[in-house]
Amino acid sequence: MLPVGPADRFDAFRALADRRGRPGRRLLESLAEAGAGTADSPETWAPSVAVGMGLPAAAALGPAGYYADLAAPHGRRHVRVCAATACFAAQAGRHLTEVEHELGVTVGTVSPDGETSLQAVRCLGYCYAGPAALDGDTPRAGPALAGQLAGREPPRAPAIPAADDTGDPVLLGGVVAGEPAWQVWPQVVTAGTPEEVRLEVAASGLRGRGGAGFRVASKWEAADRAPGTVVLANGDEGDPGSYADRLLMEAEPERVLEGLALACFACGAGRGVVLVRSEYPLALARLREAVGQAYDDGHFGPSVHGTDTTLDIEVVQGAGSYVAGEETALIASLEGDRGCARPRPPYPTRSGLWGAPTVVNNVETLASVPWIVSRGGAAYARRGTLDETGTKLVCLSERFARPGAYEVELGTPLLRIVTELGGGLKDGTGLTALQVGGPLGGFLGPDALDVPLTTAGLASRGAALGHAGLVAFDGRVTPQEALRHVWEFAAAESCGACSPCRVGSRRGLELASADIPPGPEWERLGRVLAEASLCAFGRRIPPAVRSLARAYGGRPPGWES
């Protein structure tokens, strides 16, 4: 018998789903419908969903017990309250207790009469105005959050403040200057070639804006325009502190879709999918409306603008998982599986969604493509730095005097962003630590901000660019509370696919909660997480903890000498 290589790995779930018509998203949507309004555990209602699709109970129990939206008990009124970093920093986490008191229900439970349920989630994209919650799909935000949910305070959900710092925005042209959408795609599909699009993007030096920073042109080239190629727009923006993708999907959905169309054209893909996280209900509605209008206007369909190009676009909703934003986990989610990272190789560009070559690009990445194609890759490459070109949306949290999303050129000094654009912290309070690039991106102390906003610059200080969300901490949060918060996030959001991360994140939370002093167990835990975790989630935990300790001026708790 010939050995079976990684690229030929048998996937029992895919094989079974193939025989059942690939239910994929229909399975998750049916599970969401079955679980709505019930406090019962998935074991009581998920198997019948599977039976209805000709699947074994395990095919429904797996995702129903994994995704937060499905596993959480639901009352007739379901409230999701944000427990992520920016909302935590706003009031040192006290808002959770206040909301529980006002609603008379604890997080993760349903009131005895079945009326109200409360779920803690990690980021609703209101980092600039937190703490925040979704009452059903209706947002509430601000210091009086509990009072708003109780009906004693008027509802408040401010729009995202957005500004351009570049003088010629790549991403915010529609928001700040009213630039019309769909100016590039009709010309390209009727008179251009896929090769021209690929060459401009290659010349631009554009890198993925979802955190990994991989060259976009290289990923497109890896798909090799193979038959059946699919392009996925990743709108599962899970990094607490970032709301750039939410801004683009709500305020610039046409720009996102135009970038997706150009990517499909360049990659020879006749199908594109946009995945929007469930915590962004308005973004989901805006994108679906924009897709419908795009079909009406001839941008999508069987004969795009009278050409022989066929392009179909679908918008789907996530089900609540941070790790499902990782590209292989996102693909698993779209197939109706648990959103866990899958081993590589094979890489998605060879075998992705249902085995088809699949290109996954972040929403902000795709939104840059129309500007690049219309102005030229060389013009984009002149912006930013030599090695990291272009612009980036930077999101400032509620603690800043001027929170909001700012488009800046890569390489802009972080200190300038904090002090000039953000105006420092509100009420004249002092910065004690700055989290950069998400919960596992890294922390910087107030004396370590003299660094350019680039992947390389931040890495030199033990941080990461990530989605470029900046969450400010002031003196109301102690170092011990910040450390526990990091481990709580890691333990809650680990997908569980690999033992080092699944077990290690929980053990780290135990040690942090017990204030265990530095020692061999901390050192061993950090080494195992960094070296043996399946994906970047587990590998990023140790450097994030080290950076937190440095930011607060202390010795990392056993992680390094």
Side-chain angles (χ1 to χ4, degrees), residues 82 84-87 122-128 237-244 277 280 322 393-398 400 404-405 435-439 467-472 489:
C82 183
T85 313
C87 288
R122 283 162 182 84
C123 206
L124 296 173
Y126 281 84
C127 316
Y128 57 93
E237 180 181 45
D239 275 352
S242 176
Y243 42 91
R277 60 198 310 258
Y280 289 174
Y322 176 82
L393 286 178
V394 178
C395 298
L396 276 58
S397 71
E398 175 271 347
F400 284 95
Q435 186 185 73
V436 185
H467 270 85
L470 303 184
V471 178
F489 177 88

Side-chain angles (χ1 to χ4, degrees), residues 60-120:
L61 285 170
Y66 173 81
Y67 293 103
D69 292 351
L70 305 179
H74 284 64
R76 288 179 287 276
R77 177 194 183 191
H78 187 62
V79 177
R80 288 175 282 180
V81 60
C82 183
T85 313
C87 288
F88 169 77
Q91 296 182 352
R94 292 191 301 273
H95 68 288
L96 288 173
T97 303
E98 293 173 357
V99 169
E100 288 178 327
H101 176 75
E102 289 284 3
L103 298 183
V105 58
T106 57
V107 167
T109 68
V110 180
S111 60
D113 60 1
E115 179 62 31
T116 304
S117 54
L118 186 60
Q119 177 188 356

Side-chain angles (χ1 to χ4, degrees), residues 336-358:
D337 203 353
R338 294 162 62 96
C340 299
R342 290 172 169 172
R344 290 175 288 188
Y347 291 92
T349 49
R350 176 180 174 186
S351 177
L353 185 64
W354 298 115
T358 304

Side-chain angles (χ1 to χ4, degrees), residues 363-387:
V363 159
E364 184 180 339
T365 308
L366 292 170
S368 300
V369 175
W371 193 99
I372 291 170
V373 174
S374 65
R375 304 287 191 88
Y380 189 86
R382 286 192 291 270
R383 311 184 71 173
T385 70
L386 183 63
D387 295 324

